[in-house]
Amino acid sequence: MSQSRQAPDAPSVAAQEPPLAGLARDPKVFSYRNPAGGWGALKSVGKHLWHSRSPLLNARSLFKLNQPDGFDCPGCAWGDPEHGSSFEFCENGVKAVTWEATAKRVTREFFARHSVSELKTWDDYQLEDQGRLVEPMRYNAETDHYEPITWEAALDLVAQELKALPTPDDAIFYTSGKAANESAYIFQLLARRFGTNNLPDCSNMCHEASGVALTAALGTGKGSVRLEDFERAEAIFVFGQNPGTNHPRMLGVLREAAERGATIVSFNPLKERGLEKFADPQKPMEMLHNGSHRISTFYFRPKLGGDMAAVRGMAKALFERDAAGEAVLDHAFLAAHTAHLEAYRVRVEATEWADLEAQSGLSVREMREAAELYARSRATIACWAMGITQHVHSVATVREIVNLLMLCGNLGKPGAGTSPVRGHSNVQGDRTMGIFEKPADALLDALEAYYQCPMPRHHGVDSVAAVKAMRDQPGKVFIGLAGNFTRAISDSGVTEQAMANCALTAFISTKLNRSHLITGREALILPCLGRSEIDRNAAGQAQLITVEDSMSMVHGSAGINRPADKALRSEVAILTGIAERLFGDDDSVAWATLREDYDRIREHIAAVIPGFDDFNTRVREPRGFWLANPVARREFDTASGQAEFSDDALPAEVMHQRLAAREGWITLQTMRSHDQYNTTVYGYDDRYRGIENGRRVIFLNQEDIARLGFAAGQWVDLIGESEDGVTRRADGFKIVAYDTPAGCAAAYYPETNPLIPLDHKGEQSHTPASKSVAVRLAASARLA
Ligand SMILES: Nc1nc2c(c(=O)[nH]1)N[C@H]1C(S)=C(S)[C@@H](COP(=O)(O)OP(=O)(O)OC[C@H]3O[C@@H](n4cnc5c(=O)[nH]c(N)nc54)[C@H](O)[C@@H]3O)O[C@H]1N2
Ligand SMILES: Nc1nc2c(c(=O)[nH]1)N[C@H]1C(S)=C(S)[C@@H](COP(=O)(O)OP(=O)(O)OC[C@H]3O[C@@H](n4cnc5c(=O)[nH]c(N)nc54)[C@H](O)[C@@H]3O)O[C@H]1N2
Ligand SMILES: [Mo]
């Protein structure tokens, strides 16, 4: 056992965490009255181009973004139109590109100047803002500095540490959704060839609940709609998502839908600017007149974790109307394509309106109104994101959304279906490539048949289980393909101690982040090419990579910029380099040949992964190809062969109900500001929410501020639950009075991750429940 558990009164594990620099800022609050997008977005683009110190290079990069001959935007996973050119303006896509194509570099001199202990006091913004990593570095515990190491020695060290492990299951292979299909395929092959399914990924912290719920209900874990369905939908419901910041290109689609008269309905405790009003920076006339379009025709504001109850309330209203003889349900669809409707109806009828109101925070009238909007539409899409998937009862909530869609036949017809809007640009593709700790036998069979070697059958660890394993059994090897695992996952204090227990931590990264600073006995930074850069093989030929978006479109991506440094290697080169050292030259996988020509990797993918026949030809078509989704044909690969209703009971109480009785406690959601990409912080502003020059703020309902005995503008420390003996706190947050439902607070992630116990996670999904965290506030020693 490691020393991760502490007595409640011991010094807090998180006390070491708050980055001093971020703490010193004094955030300002202002009132943002303009629509989302618009001039503010253009101004911000200019600022970020300039800050990258290579504005011209970056301006050129932007014109190749999401073009058939360019590279895939490293921002979100929203789809591209299949036809025509699509230079889609997206402020946050610009930030993602310029952040990668910066002229700044993190050199060996930088690491000589700054010890790791010193860098640990820097905040996330400062670390990444140093620029691109350029050469492999190894941590020297004696000097407390990272020092240069050759690629050969670095890869030797990884292989040596892996070979020294007692069992293959002592290795953990983490993937962030930035990784392209080719790297992801090689990574899972490396892990499995090594003998483990320990392939946790960022999906475990993200849309896992969607995958679990959709697979159980419909037989496939992916969304069923394509981009053109948004052109035909009569209603679009957006649950728990902030597209204005996180999927800005989706706003254009919503706005077009609104213009042609579709009903747009949002469910969000916060009034997100992007969902209310949007001015398109690509429509100059509109901007000149400062016009903007209302996006959400209707806006419901449930309490945190209240969506399952809200949707059930809608279903209850529909069943009541059906019982009264109104033609609101699609009985033909229900009879032909669904199973277990009666059990569901019984469950819904047994759920009391009073309980639905108490849990959802919506009134019966509002739930009936939402049901009416839904019933009126003949084709409805339901979109959702983290506001739905990061709760304890997220799987049940997603299933309830699917239940609702089924009631009116909104599956497998134009303009209707499920749309879990994914996060990372290739997170969906990574799963398709086999990045999954619980692989299906079919995948393992296919791998065994193709490579003629055995694959491990027992399941591996997901992200939370990986932390527990490292906490409880020191000496593991952790390899991160992209991402910032240590910072992204919950319970930062516990996680940092778990990572420090490792024999080796090695990260394949483009930018410096906190994961690099929490070192195992050995630690390596392995810097790689980014997506915007040209990836050449030994013969000088540029390689193509591929990605899959949220609508299951697979397409190519080719970098156009010169690599940030000639020492950088591609992800595939680094991974195959490790594999060669582990398995030798005459391995059944010819690793070196794969590195030399990614077409060969795609040949392997075509042979092993269903749906990729003729991959190399099809991916070269301008917009790629669609991985057909059987749900779109009303085919359901479930036990019954039908779309299955679930009849889960409502949770007895969700967090806001539990905390109502605990004096001084409040439910906190941890979310993204407009100036961040997950743990990558581009700046200290959150324009649409009216915050400037700081991230350590807590948004609270005015009445809660008074009830808790504080005042707006006051500094507080946030204290989390400690029933398991771990003290959890994050210090120094400024109170901002905000329009959020009573009992529901909000603050930015990752600064709030120290507050979330590892075990506070989704049932079945094991996703940290980062949208319903119990916290209490204490006056802070930090004075204004
Ligand atoms: N610019 C930018 N783009 C991104 C990212 C980024 O960080 N920056 N991250 C990418 C990734 S990996 C992901 S997963 C996505 C994330 O995209 P989002 O899911 O939009 O991300 P969050 O900021 O976590 O926003 C959660 C939203 O849900 C609402 N919410 C919280 N709890 C509840 C609830 O209980 N019920 C309801 N109805 N709403 C709730 C919040 O008020 C907020 O509007 O974006 C992707 N795109
Ligand atoms: N409290 C709380 N925690 C959360 C969430 C939340 O809403 N609240 N959201 C969760 C979600 S949805 C997600 S997806 C995770 C995100 O978790 P991750 O995906 O692990 O984190 P990122 O912040 O996206 O990773 C950023 C790092 O990726 C590296 N990188 C960037 N581009 C590339 C590339 O092209 N190649 C390589 N090799 N490296 C690259 C850079 O070094 C950068 O520092 O966080 C989760 N954590
Ligand atoms: Mo995500």
Side-chain angles (χ1 to χ4, degrees), residues 76 92 206 239-243 245-247 267-270 272 302-307 385-388 390-391 422-424 669-672 676-678 689 771:
C76 70
N92 281 346
C206 183
F239 295 97
Q241 191 195 348
N242 180 20
T245 286
N246 298 314
H247 303 92
F267 282 73
N268 200 312
L270 304 183
E272 301 287 24
K303 292 202 175 192
L304 293 171
D307 301 82
M386 298 304 101
I388 294 300
Q390 294 178 333
H391 289 288
R422 307 277 163 181
H424 265 299
Q669 64 149 317
T670 61
M671 60 181 187
R672 292 151 174 80
Q676 80 183 80
Y677 195 92
N678 300 334
R689 298 196 187 104
K771 297 291 188 274

Side-chain angles (χ1 to χ4, degrees), residues 638-660:
T638 57
S640 63
Q642 305 277 48
E644 298 198 357
F645 279 95
S646 68
D647 64 342
D648 291 312
L650 274 194
E653 51 179 16
V654 296
M655 188 62 89
H656 76 81
Q657 294 172 294
R658 176 144 78 82
L659 295 181

Side-chain angles (χ1 to χ4, degrees), residues 635-702:
E635 285 167 20
F636 307 101
D637 187 14
T638 57
S640 63
Q642 305 277 48
E644 298 198 357
F645 279 95
S646 68
D647 64 342
D648 291 312
L650 274 194
E653 51 179 16
V654 296
M655 188 62 89
H656 76 81
Q657 294 172 294
R658 176 144 78 82
L659 295 181
R662 266 166 77 180
E663 211 183 309
W665 288 79
I666 192 153
T667 309
L668 176 76
Q669 64 149 317
T670 61
M671 60 181 187
R672 292 151 174 80
S673 86
H674 194 62
D675 265 3
Q676 80 183 80
Y677 195 92
N678 300 334
T679 70
T680 293
V681 176
Y682 303 124
Y684 294 97
D685 302 340
D686 189 6
R687 194 170 69 245
Y688 300 149
R689 298 196 187 104
I691 301 296
E692 232 170 42
N693 187 44
R695 295 175 44 84
R696 298 188 82 96
V697 291
I698 177 164
F699 300 95
L700 284 166
N701 170 297
Q702 186 68 60

Side-chain angles (χ1 to χ4, degrees), residues 40-116:
L42 279 185
K43 202 171 118 196
S44 159
V45 162
K47 193 173 110 187
H48 285 273
L49 277 174
W50 191 247
H51 187 76
S52 73
R53 294 208 198 138
S54 54
L56 288 177
L57 172 74
N58 267 314
R60 191 176 68 108
S61 309
L62 297 177
F63 284 99
K64 287 288 182 191
L65 204 54
N66 291 340
Q67 292 303 300
D69 61 340
F71 60 96
D72 183 63
C73 179
C76 70
W78 187 255
D80 305 316
E82 264 165 75
H83 309 289
S85 157
S86 73
F87 178 74
E88 282 194 288
F89 174 88
C90 164
E91 177 193 351
N92 281 346
V94 171
K95 290 182 197 164
V97 171
T98 55
W99 197 248
E100 181 171 295
T102 172
K104 302 177 200 173
R105 299 289 178 268
V106 179
T107 58
R108 54 174 75 183
E109 291 76 27
F110 170 87
F111 284 112
R113 257 194 322 273
H114 305 287
S115 70
V116 167

Side-chain angles (χ1 to χ4, degrees), residues 100 128 133 174 176-178 202 205-206 386 390 424 481-485 488-489 508-513 516 528-531 571 670-672 677-680 749 752-753 756 770-771:
E100 181 171 295
E128 284 215 23
L133 296 159
Y174 170 73
S176 156
K178 244 327 178 21
C202 69
M205 309 178 229
C206 183
M386 298 304 101
Q390 294 178 333
H424 265 299
L481 173 60
N484 185 3
F485 180 77
I489 188 123
I508 300 170
S509 312
T510 52
K511 288 269 188 119
L512 183 62
N513 63 45
H516 304 132
C528 66
L529 295 173
R531 200 179 279 174
E571 292 169 349
T670 61
M671 60 181 187
R672 292 151 174 80
Y677 195 92
N678 300 334
T679 70
T680 293
Y749 116 87
T752 43
N753 266 337
I756 310 175
S770 4
K771 297 291 188 274

Side-chain angles (χ1 to χ4, degrees), residues 104-116 118-119 130-138 140 143-151 512 525 527 565-568:
K104 302 177 200 173
R105 299 289 178 268
V106 179
T107 58
R108 54 174 75 183
E109 291 76 27
F110 170 87
F111 284 112
R113 257 194 322 273
H114 305 287
S115 70
V116 167
E118 182 202 337
L119 293 173
Q130 301 310 311
R132 291 287 297 280
L133 296 159
V134 286
E135 62 178 328
M137 303 297 294
R138 176 191 192 172
N140 180 341
T143 61
D144 190 30
H145 283 266
Y146 266 105
E147 295 167 357
I149 180 175
T150 63
W151 274 111
L512 183 62
I525 299 174
D565 192 281
K566 57 184 187 320
L568 293 178

